[in-house]
Amino acid sequence: MNKKVAIVTLGCPKNQVDSEIMTGHMMEKYQVVTEPEQADIIIINTCTFIESAKAESIDTILQMSQYKGEGQCKTLVATGCLAQRYGDELLAEIPELDGIMGTGNISEILQTLEEAEKSKVKKISAEAPAFIYDETMPRVRLTPKQYAYVKVAEGCDNYCTYCIIPHVRGHFRSRKQESILREVEAMASEGVKEVLLIAQDTTRYGKDLYGEYRLPSLIKEIAKIEGIEWIRLMYCYPELFTDELITVMKETPKVCRYLDLPLQHAHNKVLAEMNRRGTIQEAEGLIETLRREMPDIRLRTTMITGFPGETEEEFQTVLDFAKRIRFERLGAFAYSQEESTPAAKREDQVPEEIREQRRDELMRLQYDIAYEQQQRWVGQTLKVLIEEKLPDKRWVGRSEGDAPEIDGLVYVHSPGELEIGDFVQVKIREADSYDLVGEVVQ
């Protein structure tokens, strides 16, 4: 009987795609299970974006290592960004680990597991990671059947001064458009209704391969695929958002009226020190255009509080910006001092307590803004993708304004049975800062 393997995925959807590809490879030789306590081999796909992500990754490795003594696990392997960055240290400090594999070695998962079952192994490319998957590789999706992540590119060339990702993921590299389209066609044939286009910098898609930004043409081609009803754009940098892309979004009904624009700050001095391109005035101009062209669009952004040297006045600029723009969705995290980054070497670090206080203040402000923004949907009828049935006989779904796992939900009352993965029209009766409540319109 084949050995059982479980994979625990941490971090972002880009990491999840990597886990799905590794799972596809492992299906050739192993029985894949969802519960680590049942597995002979456990893989932890780690994250290293900020300090809390590193801590969660290490805690998870230690937690999974307990199954080597208490369960049936015989082999423990760490992959992903933390493994790429700290492979030697992890092997030295966590004796239960049998193997380490970097982000550029995903296609070698079977060989890594085979070697790790015999002796300790480290597979991390000496050069910058260069792996990028295509539609011919085996992949087992771990998301619910109705939606799927499509990684259109890998790596990053932005080199924001606070971020380690270019060093652990390599240079920006796009997939061929034909490869992406074939993958989405296969997904549609399997019942996928929503595709989420992701990359470290989705708006840059195609520039390295074709000499031009190809996201607009990619969207138009995906929209032709029968069965795909929603196309969602994630991780779009504002300075690369072209007029053509706005037009395609506006004129393509399948594109969700939703956009993730990670701005990170609202003061031009801080943005320059972060090595972010463009100014906050340019970003605000883009937001005004997006809302003028698509009045029902929901905008998400991310802000960093307590970047080195950030003054109280500069932080107040962020608060004022949030009050003025009134994002439907806004997340914030306190600056994390990542070693080997330019920002980490600065001597004007903001005390951690102040970083966190500023984050909390911004999120309190956003809570009220989000509540007010949500009220506009009360009385409206929205298209909702049904995803779950609750014990109290209500259903749970998402509107096009809600990305899976990071945004809110729509709680649905229905007089009859619904099908997971179906779209229904829901009249909204209530709203709080995150979720909506409504009933199916007959």
Side-chain angles (χ1 to χ4, degrees):
M1 185 174 179
N2 291 343
K3 291 181 179 178
K4 296 178 181 179
V5 59
I7 185 164
V8 179
T9 304
L10 305 172
C12 66
K14 297 179 283 290
N15 235 25
Q16 178 158 322
V17 173
D18 292 347
S19 288
E20 293 175 345
I21 295 164
M22 286 189 283
T23 300
H25 281 83
M26 291 186 298
M27 293 287 283
E28 299 175 17
K29 185 177 177 181
Y30 299 96
Q31 179 185 350
V32 178
V33 297
T34 57
E35 301 298 332
E37 61 266 28
Q38 300 173 1
D40 304 295
I41 302 168
I42 299 175
I43 301 167
I44 305 98
N45 191 2
T46 62
C47 178
T48 188
F49 179 54
I50 57 177
E51 190 61 38
S52 60
K54 286 192 291 186
E56 182 186 18
S57 292
I58 292 171
D59 287 346
T60 303
I61 294 172
L62 294 174
Q63 179 185 351
M64 294 299 111
S65 71
Q66 296 177 9
Y67 290 120
K68 290 192 75 174
E70 302 170 2
Q72 65 186 65
C73 178
K74 300 294 186 294
T75 307
L76 190 68
V77 173
T79 68
C81 292
L82 189 76
Q84 173 73 31
R85 187 178 181 190
Y86 296 110
D88 290 329
E89 292 90 333
L90 289 173
L91 278 177
E93 296 177 17
I94 305 179
E96 292 86 355
L97 270 176
D98 301 293
I100 290 288
M101 192 178 76
T103 58
N105 305 78
I106 290 173
S107 60
E108 303 171 54
I109 183 64
L110 287 177
Q111 183 182 354
T112 300
L113 294 184
E114 184 178 342
E115 295 179 15
E117 287 186 73
K118 300 172 184 175
S119 63
K120 287 190 181 290
V121 61
K122 184 183 79 169
K123 282 192 178 296
I124 298 179
S125 303
E127 305 296 325
F131 171 82
I132 185 165
Y133 84 100
D134 63 33
E135 84 289 359
T136 66
M137 291 184 178
R139 177 181 174 185
V140 175
R141 288 188 295 104
L142 304 174
T143 54
K145 65 175 184 178
Q146 60 269 16
Y147 71 85
Y149 294 104
V150 178
K151 196 188 294 192
V152 302
E154 181 60 272
C156 186
D157 288 334
N158 290 326
Y159 290 94
C160 298
T161 59
Y162 54 83
C163 183
I164 199 67
I165 294 302
H167 301 283
V168 297
R169 285 284 178 178
H171 293 295
F172 184 86
R173 48 204 187 274
S174 300
R175 292 175 59 193
K176 292 182 179 179
Q177 182 167 305
E178 295 78 11
S179 170
I180 296 169
L181 294 175
R182 284 193 291 266
E183 181 180 37
V184 176
E185 287 170 353
M187 289 174 169
S189 70
E190 297 167 357
V192 170
K193 305 290 184 65
E194 173 187 10
V195 291
L196 297 94
L197 305 186
I198 60 173
Q200 300 295 338
D201 181 354
T202 306
T203 29
R204 191 179 295 273
Y205 170 72
K207 182 67 173 177
D208 55 318
L209 272 185
Y210 306 109
E212 61 183 6
Y213 301 117
R214 282 287 188 93
L215 187 57
S217 66
L218 177 65
I219 291 170
K220 287 191 284 187
E221 292 303 313
I222 292 176
K224 297 176 184 177
I225 298 174
E226 187 176 350
I228 300 300
E229 296 197 37
W230 279 353
I231 302 169
R232 189 179 302 277
L233 304 183
M234 307 293 293
Y235 315 115
C236 294
Y237 280 55
E239 71 274 9
L240 299 181
F241 218 94
T242 63
D243 291 341
E244 181 187 11
L245 183 52
I246 295 173
T247 300
V248 168
M249 284 191 69
K250 179 182 178 181
E251 296 180 353
T252 308
K254 288 186 178 182
V255 176
C256 291
R257 293 294 188 260
Y258 175 99
L259 194 60
D260 178 32
L261 289 170
L263 299 180
Q264 312 302 17
H265 212 275
H267 194 286
N268 285 330
K269 170 179 167 289
V270 179
L271 287 171
E273 292 173 351
M274 288 178 166
N275 198 34
R276 303 287 290 185
R277 279 74 166 173
T279 65
I280 200 62
Q281 288 77 20
E282 291 167 342
E284 190 164 349
L286 170 63
I287 291 167
E288 290 175 359
T289 301
L290 289 166
R291 285 178 166 166
R292 181 179 66 249
E293 297 296 321
M294 294 169 281
D296 56 345
I297 194 169
R298 267 65 61 93
L299 298 177
R300 163 171 282 283
T301 196
T302 309
M303 292 290 179
I304 298 173
T305 60
F307 184 80
E310 182 189 61
T311 64
E312 188 62 40
E313 180 183 359
E314 290 163 352
F315 171 63
Q316 187 62 48
T317 302
V318 176
L319 295 177
D320 292 342
F321 181 74
K323 291 175 186 175
R324 185 169 68 253
I325 300 300
R326 299 176 61 77
F327 287 98
E328 286 78 11
R329 322 272 188 252
L330 182 149
F333 61 91
Y335 165 75
S336 179
Q337 189 174 359
E338 294 302 304
E339 59 183 298
S340 302
T341 61
K345 299 173 184 176
R346 291 178 53 165
E347 297 182 356
D348 55 349
Q349 300 291 322
V350 175
E352 184 174 356
E353 181 181 359
I354 294 178
R355 300 179 214 166
E356 294 177 354
Q357 286 174 351
R358 290 175 178 175
R359 175 201 60 204
D360 294 345
E361 184 176 354
L362 176 57
M363 291 310 298
R364 283 195 297 271
L365 170 66
Q366 176 59 26
Y367 183 86
D368 292 335
I369 292 173
Y371 178 84
E372 294 167 4
Q373 290 285 58
Q374 286 274 89
Q375 300 312 305
R376 66 171 163 155
W377 304 113
V378 175
Q380 301 286 328
T381 298
L382 300 179
K383 182 179 179 180
V384 173
L385 177 59
I386 298 298
E387 298 192 308
E388 183 184 356
K389 184 177 184 180
L390 298 177
D392 63 6
K393 298 185 179 181
R394 290 185 303 167
W395 300 80
V396 178
R398 290 182 292 110
S399 75
E400 63 181 298
D402 301 297
E405 301 180 4
I406 60 172
D407 293 317
L409 300 169
V410 183
Y411 291 90
V412 179
H413 296 271
S414 174
E417 285 293 305
L418 303 176
E419 291 291 331
I420 304 297
D422 278 358
F423 287 95
V424 295
Q425 295 295 317
V426 176
K427 187 164 187 179
I428 304 303
R429 299 299 190 189
E430 303 174 37
D432 61 21
S433 293
Y434 303 106
D435 303 323
L436 303 172
V437 179
E439 58 192 31
V440 172
V441 177
Q442 297 295 315

